Structures are given as structure tokens and as C-alpha cells.
Amino acid sequence: MTNLLAPLRRMFNPLHEIEAGIYHYISPPNDPRNYRLHLRLESDGSGVLIINAATILHLNQTAAEYAYYLVHNTPADQVARKFSARYNVSRAQASQDYLQLAERIQTLISTPDIDPVTFLDFERQVPYSGQISAPYRLDCALTYRLPTDTSPDAAPVERVKRELDAEEWKTLIDKAWSASIPHIVFTGGEPTLRSDLTELIAHAEANGQISGLLSDGLRLAESAYLEELLQTGLDHLMLVLRPEEPLAWQALENALAQDLFVAVHLTLAAENVKQIPKLLRRLADMGVHAVSLSASDPSLATALHDAREQIARLEMELVWNLPVPYSSLHPIALETSQPEIPEGAGRAWLYVEPDGDVLPSQGVNRVLGNLLADPWEKIWKSTD
């Protein structure tokens, strides 16, 4: 996906004259493709294009400008005239680039199980280096509660005692959408213990936001419950695998059979480290395409490195920027010698506690404000 718009890269630092903001397109009722687009343009001309509230494309300035005209359903010949007049490019080339973008977006619309976030024209080590007006994602910890059989070592630190109700979470989600935040991830604790989870996912979907879920997946072994989540608009799942639990494997099998992007998280620990190679092979054989890793102890750094290498050999994707059980040992940090907090934390994404308190990231105990009580502008300014 990183080379999706390679033909557009030959135009360097184009001048842009389009106002920053959110732009929206819904296909007409007689269009069998039945899709919708949201484009968020930044002040520097870059942007993100949200396709069917399911996939985010990160766009450079040229691609974002083409996307602006696409969202406004501008004919290719008009776009070609505009680009030819402003840039050193022929009308034929501008028209071809525009039609290529439209064609590739239509391909993404019809592609099942696509990664919820696709980076275009960004290198992995600096994917969030531009000036942005708001984060791209909120990780919402709906609850600290966990299943009764969960190990105490896996329990989150309970910073707060209050848990927002459904209407308060809806207000918070709407506030995020008003701030142009296109992506919500529901996490915890265990978010499936909330009886209103499907209601909250449906609310984000109605706004046009992408919704993800971080869960141990045990309830997803119930086919009816999984179907309910999918019907409400769930776009992607990070399943925190408990390998010793048969229901976890059933849940994973159920999820992989759906039109849903599924990633699996494994936490390396002393008691399971010898089984990790076998587990990774089993995941690949089941059709898992994305894996996230962390380790419970610094002594497992070598095993974590080896697991990362095996993931590459199995041609699975290493997921590094979705929320996971907090650990300072994650593969990207090992590879790049970065600080413990992943790049993008507190900028590209923020973490919301069960009472609405906003932290830069999961496990970073610095309160930026309360999203229910404080103005968004005050919270965003606190990230500087």
C-alpha cells in the first residue's frame, strides 16, 4: 500500500489553495457501489481520506488536493485544467493521475479485510511528522473491569474510580468527531463487559468514524455477539490472545471468517516463550495477517526480536501503533532504539480513561484534561 500513489510523488511541495477542514461525499442512492468519503485537510495541504468509515489513507499534498476534487465529484477534465494551469504538468498526465487515484480508491472500497490505517508517502519512522490539527485516533478505555479468571498481573492500574455511562461516552465521541478525529478504538480493561459496547460502536459509525476493538475475544466465540458487533459497524479487531483458552481460538476463527481486519496480540512471558514459534506458525496457518507483540520482562528482549524475525518470514504484518497491553518492550523500540513511548503517542493518538481523563498514551500518567468537561482546544494545546 505504501506505493499506492507513487506516480504522484514526482510533484514536489505544490502550492495549495484549499481551506483546511472536513469535506464529505456520499454516493447517490442509484450508485451500486454505495460508498462515502470524508476528507480531512490540514493547514499544510496534507490530509487523510476516510473510506466508508473503515479505512484511513494518509495523503501528501498533491494526493490530498486530488482527493478534494474527488470528494466534490469534479470531472477529470476540469481537474486536469486546474492542475495544468498551476503546476508544471500536462493535462493528460494530470487527468491520468486523478483517474488513477479514483480507481485505486474504488479498489480499496471493494477490498475486504483491509488494514484500517494505510500510510501514503510517509516513512515508518516519521509517519506523524507534519503539522496536524487534531490526533487521528482516540483510544477509549471504557472500563477497567476484566474477566474474573484474568491474572492479577494483567490488570490495568486503576487511576480513576468513575466510569462514564453510554450517553457520556456518546457526547465524548461526538466531541472527538467535531474536532475531526476520525478513528475510535474501544479498549479497557475488557470492553465487551460493557453492555452498551455495540451501542457506542453504532454511534461512532453513524458519525462516520472508524471503530476498532481491543479485546480478549472470548465473547466473540459467540457467533451471535460477533454478528451484532459487525452489524453496528465494527471495522477492525485486535484480539489479545490467551493461547491456553479454547474459546479464544474459537473467537479468532469466527473473526477471521468475517469481512473484518483482524490483528492478534501476543505477550511474551517466561511461561510461554518456548511456545511462541509454534503459536506464530499456527496463526499464519489460520490466515492471520497482522500480529502485535510485547514482552512482560526485559530478559525476553532477545525472544521478542526472534519473534519479530519469524513474523517477517511468515509474511505477516507487524502492528506497532494500535493500543495493546502496555509494555516498554515492543519491537519498534528494539529496532530503532527509540524511547519507551511509541512515536505518535500524544500526537497522532490520545488515550481516554474510563472517566474521560485524557492521557498522551496508554501507560503515560500525565493528564491533559478531561474530554467530557474541558474544551477540546485546551486539551490539544496541552499536548505541546
Side-chain angles (χ1 to χ4, degrees):
M1 290 296 181
T2 55
N3 292 321
L4 192 61
L5 296 179
L8 303 179
R9 292 177 180 166
R10 58 180 167 270
M11 303 181 197
F12 301 113
N13 300 320
L15 298 173
H16 72 95
E17 56 184 25
I18 302 171
E19 185 177 353
I22 285 280
Y23 300 92
H24 187 207
Y25 174 79
I26 300 179
S27 61
N30 61 350
D31 189 333
R33 295 170 297 178
N34 188 27
Y35 67 96
R36 53 182 169 153
L37 304 173
H38 292 84
L39 175 67
R40 171 177 145 186
L41 286 180
E42 302 290 356
S43 59
D44 65 357
S46 65
V48 292
L49 182 67
I50 309 160
I51 302 174
N52 279 338
T55 299
I56 297 177
L57 302 181
H58 287 248
L59 306 173
N60 65 10
Q61 290 182 9
T62 305
E65 186 169 350
Y66 275 124
Y68 171 84
Y69 293 117
L70 185 66
V71 166
H72 286 81
N73 206 25
T74 307
D77 60 336
Q78 293 184 27
V79 176
R81 285 199 299 271
K82 289 177 182 289
F83 270 73
S84 179
R86 292 177 55 209
Y87 306 125
N88 185 24
V89 61
S90 68
R91 288 190 184 184
Q93 187 61 63
S95 178
Q96 179 181 341
D97 288 344
Y98 181 62
L99 292 174
Q100 282 182 340
L101 174 61
E103 180 182 348
R104 285 160 179 166
I105 288 173
Q106 290 302 325
T107 298
L108 293 177
I109 289 171
S110 61
T111 302
D113 305 339
I114 193 168
D115 190 325
V117 178
T118 299
F119 291 98
L120 303 179
D121 301 296
F122 283 89
E123 296 298 329
R124 188 182 67 180
Q125 63 268 28
V126 285
Y128 308 111
S129 57
Q131 293 298 316
I132 59 176
S133 57
Y136 299 122
R137 192 184 81 219
L138 279 187
D139 300 335
C140 297
L142 300 180
T143 181
Y144 287 135
R145 288 176 283 156
L146 290 168
T148 54
D149 61 343
T150 303
S151 167
D153 295 337
V157 176
E158 295 194 18
R159 284 189 55 262
V160 298
K161 297 299 181 184
R162 183 165 123 73
E163 192 173 290
L164 301 182
D165 62 28
E167 292 307 312
E168 290 172 317
W169 274 113
K170 289 178 185 178
T171 297
L172 187 150
I173 291 168
D174 289 343
K175 199 169 183 178
W177 183 237
S178 296
S180 302
I181 301 174
H183 190 178
I184 303 290
V185 173
F186 297 102
T187 179
E190 176 49 52
T192 60
L193 294 177
R194 292 270 307 216
S195 61
D196 53 10
L197 175 61
T198 54
E199 183 181 347
L200 297 178
I201 293 173
H203 190 80
E205 161 70 14
N207 282 346
Q209 289 160 300
I210 294 170
S211 58
L213 176 65
L214 172 68
S215 171
D216 67 7
L218 298 190
R219 282 213 63 189
L220 278 62
E222 305 169 24
S223 297
Y225 182 73
L226 175 58
E227 180 63 23
E228 186 179 0
L229 289 177
L230 295 172
Q231 290 299 320
T232 59
L234 182 67
D235 295 301
H236 64 93
L237 167 70
M238 172 79 82
L239 193 149
V240 183
L241 187 66
R242 297 163 60 181
E244 74 286 354
E245 175 56 69
L247 283 179
W249 292 101
Q250 182 60 58
L252 178 57
E253 185 177 333
N254 289 352
L256 290 171
Q258 304 299 323
D259 182 7
L260 180 70
F261 181 83
V262 179
V264 172
H265 179 79
L266 287 173
T267 300
L268 278 64
E271 58 269 22
N272 71 4
V273 68
K274 292 183 179 180
Q275 284 74 49
I276 292 299
K278 181 179 179 180
L279 286 173
L280 290 174
R281 286 193 298 272
R282 181 176 178 181
L283 293 175
D285 290 343
M286 290 180 70
V288 173
H289 298 299
V291 178
S292 168
L293 297 172
S294 63
S296 62
D297 189 273
S299 65
L300 299 172
T302 298
L304 193 60
H305 180 275
D306 292 343
R308 183 199 63 191
E309 295 297 319
Q310 184 181 1
I311 288 170
R313 291 195 299 273
L314 292 170
E315 299 184 341
M316 294 190 290
E317 176 188 355
L318 182 64
V319 178
W320 62 273
N321 65 348
L322 287 175
V324 297
Y326 182 73
S327 170
S328 62
L329 293 176
H330 56 88
I332 300 301
L334 290 176
E335 179 180 328
T336 63
S337 299
Q338 292 178 346
E340 293 182 0
I341 300 173
E343 186 172 2
R347 177 176 172 77
W349 63 84
L350 295 173
Y351 188 81
V352 185
E353 291 275 61
D355 71 337
D357 279 355
V358 180
L359 311 181
S361 185
Q362 182 182 24
V364 180
N365 192 10
R366 175 189 163 205
V367 179
L368 303 173
N370 186 284
L371 191 51
L372 192 65
D374 297 326
W376 165 250
E377 294 74 16
K378 178 182 176 181
I379 293 172
W380 186 236
K381 187 176 181 180
S382 299
T383 64
D384 294 338

